[in-house]
Amino acid sequence: MTQRKGEKPTISIQEHMAIDVCPGPIQPIKQISDYFPRYPRGLPPIAPHQAGHAGPLCSALSTSSAAASATAAAESDRPNEDKPDRACAGASASLQATKRDEEPDVEGYDSDDSTTLGTLEFSLQYDQENNALHCTINKAKGLKPMDHNGLSDPYVKLHLLPGASKANKLRTKTLHNTLNPVWSETLTYYGITDEDMVRKTLRISVCDEDKFRHNEFIGETRIPLKKLKPNQIKNFNNCLEKQLPVNKTEDKSLEERGRIMISLKYNTQKSCLVVGIIRCAHLAAMDANGFSDPYVKTYLKPDENKKSKHKTAVKKKTLNPEFNEEFCYDIKYADLTKKTLEVTVWDYDIGKSNDFIGGVSLGINANGERLKHWFDCLKNKDKKIERWHTLTNELPGSLND
């Protein structure tokens, strides 16, 4: 092919593909992490002015550079041999020594990291006379941001453990776009007994409310109620922790469904047992509107004549109904030791079967506060004895709605 003067030479695609453009064996490309190894999570950064701590990293880099130079020189003498990658040997040895000296344990890291979730300031008071637990949520500081704008929409919710359920959940209002919310809000549990104060733990959780997604958990703290003294206010300022596991082995048949206040009195003049249904608190919501239409049934068994069943009026759309109704059972005083009083709470529904909310049994076969209430009634004739009792989802086998 002839070429004119001043014209650049052209190469056909066939000629181009025939040219050997490979200078020799392909060597592996080193990763940037080989020269700058990542420190393990939680390891404190190395200050530049600390020669003692900076030494391993500097020596690792210098060793890496020297090894790379030696490898390049060897490759120029023996271009057709495959060489292993030795550039990071010094860095790896120094990194292992640094890990052994400075890497914290996992538990210590988790504990330190939990402080970044924020702190919560609150106070608790057990009102022994009125069987009430007052929880005042004051404020939180330095909460973890949960939204894209670097803020959160926090609220606080309370649960009593064990037996946590929607029935014993209380929550504050939501404060928007803040990491330092001030609630100054008091939430009260009614029907708290001395037995609850011994075995219960209050779980306080801080969450972020989202309109279009599930609410997000920020942190929590737990307070055993046995730390509280009756009728004394105790202040707390606790660091929030990561979500702690809940005991899954807990008997689900004892799930709490609310509280009920019952009065017992044996009338010696009329020879009858007077059962009073006073009120309920924190009942489980059974309807789609978040409420229930509760009523209470009482049953003294064994009952050969099947005439001992009584029923209160229905209270509409409430989880804290007040009944203040009494029922009389004609029975000899000596026979009370053979009887069991079963009290059940139901949700009234139109056009379908009523829903069982919870129940409790009092008598000689009961235990704890239920047995103590029954014995106090037997020992104190003609005296009304009032007690709060916990409702569970255990339906007595002999009862049907």
Side-chain angles (χ1 to χ4, degrees):
M1 184 177 66
T2 61
Q3 179 178 351
R4 297 179 183 179
K5 186 178 180 179
E7 187 177 293
K8 293 182 179 180
T10 59
I11 300 176
S12 66
I13 187 66
Q14 291 82 3
E15 293 174 323
H16 176 76
M17 297 299 294
I19 296 175
D20 185 8
V21 297
C22 181
I26 299 177
Q27 300 297 328
I29 300 175
K30 298 180 177 61
Q31 302 288 329
I32 192 171
S33 60
D34 294 339
Y35 299 99
F36 299 97
R38 295 180 63 185
Y39 284 98
R41 186 183 181 193
L43 194 65
I46 299 176
H49 64 277
Q50 294 177 348
H53 293 284
L57 180 58
C58 294
S59 63
L61 293 178
S62 61
T63 306
S64 175
S65 301
S69 301
T71 304
E75 286 175 357
S76 63
D77 297 335
R78 294 171 293 176
N80 296 326
E81 293 180 9
D82 293 336
K83 309 294 187 301
D85 185 10
R86 301 186 180 91
C88 300
S92 300
S94 300
L95 179 60
Q96 293 298 328
T98 307
K99 278 186 181 181
R100 288 193 296 268
D101 295 339
E102 301 185 32
E103 186 174 12
D105 61 324
V106 177
E107 292 184 1
Y109 173 74
D110 285 344
S111 177
D112 294 339
D113 185 60
S114 67
T115 59
T116 63
L117 301 176
T119 60
L120 182 65
E121 188 176 310
F122 60 97
S123 63
L124 303 176
Q125 180 187 16
Y126 173 48
D127 185 351
Q128 190 176 33
E129 182 179 355
N130 297 311
N131 296 102
L133 177 64
H134 303 292
C135 313
T136 301
I137 307 300
N138 296 321
K139 60 184 178 180
K141 288 184 180 180
L143 293 181
K144 179 181 178 181
M146 305 299 291
D147 298 335
H148 295 298
N149 59 2
L151 301 173
S152 295
D153 304 315
Y155 68 93
V156 177
K157 63 179 181 179
L158 310 180
H159 282 103
L160 285 175
L161 304 174
S165 66
K166 291 183 179 180
N168 64 31
K169 182 185 77 172
L170 301 177
R171 63 163 287 175
T172 66
K173 59 180 178 292
T174 301
L175 300 181
H176 296 281
N177 297 323
T178 179
L179 299 180
N180 301 286
V182 179
W183 288 282
S184 298
E185 190 171 341
T186 299
L187 307 175
T188 301
Y189 279 107
Y190 294 99
I192 302 297
T193 63
D194 292 340
E195 183 181 1
D196 292 327
M197 296 300 296
V198 173
R199 66 183 187 91
K200 291 283 188 179
T201 296
L202 179 66
R203 177 188 182 189
I204 306 177
S205 306
V206 181
C207 302
D208 171 62
E209 184 178 280
D210 284 320
K211 291 184 178 180
F212 306 106
R213 298 181 301 171
H214 290 293
N215 296 343
E216 296 179 289
F217 176 86
I218 297 179
E220 71 170 40
T221 183
R222 299 187 184 185
I223 305 296
L225 297 185
K226 60 185 178 182
K227 290 186 176 181
L228 305 180
K229 296 181 179 179
N231 306 313
Q232 292 186 13
I233 298 176
K234 187 173 180 63
N235 297 312
F236 297 87
N237 190 4
N238 291 8
C239 291
L240 297 176
E241 303 178 74
K242 295 180 179 180
Q243 194 163 17
L244 302 174
V246 178
N247 187 8
K248 300 296 183 180
T249 60
E250 182 183 339
D251 189 1
K252 293 184 178 180
S253 67
L254 298 181
E255 177 188 346
E256 293 187 6
R257 296 296 190 90
R259 305 293 174 105
I260 184 170
M261 178 181 277
I262 302 172
S263 67
L264 297 178
K265 173 186 174 182
Y266 186 77
N267 191 322
T268 55
Q269 294 182 349
K270 297 182 179 180
S271 298
C272 68
L273 175 67
V274 181
V275 178
I277 304 299
I278 302 173
R279 58 180 297 196
C280 295
H282 315 299
L283 291 180
M286 307 301 291
D287 297 336
N289 59 8
F291 293 96
S292 294
D293 302 319
Y295 67 94
V296 180
K297 295 196 303 181
T298 63
Y299 183 56
L300 191 64
K301 68 173 194 178
D303 180 24
E304 299 177 356
N305 299 324
K306 306 293 182 182
K307 294 181 180 180
S308 68
K309 187 181 294 185
H310 294 280
K311 184 188 300 186
T312 68
V314 177
K315 302 296 180 180
K316 294 289 187 178
K317 199 176 178 181
T318 179
L319 301 179
N320 299 281
E322 293 191 13
F323 297 99
N324 294 315
E325 298 187 33
E326 291 185 343
F327 307 108
C328 293
Y329 293 97
D330 295 328
I331 184 174
K332 296 179 181 180
Y333 177 79
D335 294 337
L336 286 177
T337 56
K338 306 174 185 177
K339 297 290 185 177
T340 298
L341 177 67
E342 291 185 345
V343 180
T344 55
V345 183
W346 300 79
D347 170 55
Y348 178 76
D349 287 320
I350 300 177
K352 59 179 182 179
S353 59
N354 299 332
D355 298 319
F356 173 72
I357 296 178
V360 62
S361 297
L362 284 71
I364 58 172
N365 295 322
N367 51 39
E369 291 288 332
R370 297 170 293 171
L371 178 61
K372 186 174 183 298
H373 192 185
W374 192 257
F375 276 151
D376 287 345
C377 173
L378 297 179
K379 291 189 297 183
N380 300 277
K381 299 178 183 178
D382 297 313
K383 181 180 179 180
K384 182 184 291 188
I385 309 294
E386 296 180 354
R387 292 281 191 281
W388 280 97
H389 297 284
T390 300
L391 298 169
T392 67
N393 62 341
E394 212 169 27
L395 177 63
S398 60
L399 283 179
N400 292 310
D401 186 36

